[in-house]
Amino acid sequence: MDITKFIEILAYTLPSIIVGLVAYYFFDAQRKNEESRRRYLIHKEAQKNAMPLRLQAYERLVLFLERINPSKLLVRIAPQSSNKHDYEEYVIAQIEQEYEHNLTQQIYVSAESWDIITTAKNATIQMIRKTNMSEKVDTANKLREVILTDLFDTQSPSSIAVAYLKNEVAEMWQ
């Protein structure tokens, strides 16, 4: 085979190889773009369906925090007797029951939000226990009174957690 024949074959095949490579890269880019667009649409549809569930979870968790807020909790739960230890255990049991009722909501909120909610619950329980150990508390009614009086000076853990949740929900709209 002579060199002119080889150059002639190369002259015919080289443009078709180049066109083939360009077509391959074009179609590959088109396929990747289409796959990315499909993923975006699926994600967008999932977000549209998940958003109401997430908002409902935030609503339920704010309700939980409001229910365990000592200023509302102690007004709602009256002591059955004057025994401060019985009252302490009953109030803490109510907090734990509310918490367990809302455990599944952690699926829909961020890990930070759930940690803050758990911390608020634990801080509220700790506040009740700490106040009950005080020398000035001798009855269940006195326990209620001292906790409510202390809340005039400081924010309750529930209030801080509610503020955090409100900020997180506000960020969802930005």
Side-chain angles (χ1 to χ4, degrees):
M1 192 190 279
D2 63 335
I3 193 97
T4 56
K5 191 75 164 162
F6 179 73
I7 292 175
E8 188 178 310
I9 292 173
L10 189 64
Y12 287 121
T13 58
L14 188 61
S16 32
I17 290 173
I18 292 173
V19 168
L21 288 174
V22 168
Y24 171 77
Y25 286 116
F26 172 75
F27 287 121
D28 189 51
Q30 179 68 19
R31 180 189 58 79
K32 287 178 183 174
N33 185 28
E34 189 65 26
E35 183 179 319
S36 176
R37 187 178 71 78
R38 267 187 261 129
R39 270 197 203 128
Y40 170 76
L41 290 174
I42 289 169
H43 180 70
K44 184 178 172 185
E45 186 67 26
Q47 284 290 84
K48 186 171 73 172
N49 294 332
M51 184 64 83
L53 293 173
R54 289 190 72 200
L55 288 175
Q56 185 180 25
Y58 280 102
E59 289 171 2
R60 286 187 58 155
L61 291 172
V62 167
L63 179 62
F64 162 72
L65 290 167
E66 289 295 331
R67 288 182 59 82
I68 69 164
N69 189 335
S71 62
K72 295 179 179 110
L73 180 70
L74 297 175
V75 171
R76 189 175 73 247
I77 301 174
Q80 305 294 352
S81 70
S82 62
N83 187 328
K84 68 179 188 173
H85 297 294
D86 289 345
Y87 185 60
E88 170 194 9
E89 292 305 317
Y90 182 67
V91 170
I92 290 171
Q94 293 298 310
I95 293 171
E96 292 291 350
Q97 183 181 9
E98 288 280 343
Y99 181 75
E100 289 171 7
H101 183 69
N102 289 291
L103 273 175
T104 58
Q105 301 308 312
Q106 66 183 299
I107 293 171
Y108 301 106
V109 299
S110 69
E112 296 84 19
S113 290
W114 187 252
D115 289 343
I116 287 175
I117 289 163
T118 303
T119 302
K121 175 197 73 109
N122 292 336
T124 302
I125 290 172
Q126 190 65 25
M127 176 194 308
I128 294 167
R129 287 195 169 133
K130 186 177 177 184
T131 305
N132 196 30
M133 287 190 239
S134 172
E135 297 285 327
K136 56 186 176 181
V137 175
D138 54 358
T139 65
N141 281 324
K142 187 68 173 173
L143 175 63
R144 288 172 76 190
E145 180 183 320
V146 170
I147 291 173
L148 292 173
T149 304
D150 288 347
L151 285 175
F152 287 132
D153 299 332
T154 60
Q155 256 189 328
S156 72
S158 295
S159 301
I160 296 166
V162 167
Y164 184 85
L165 289 180
K166 284 180 180 180
N167 285 338
E168 192 165 293
V169 169
E171 288 175 7
M172 288 170 49
W173 300 112
Q174 294 177 355

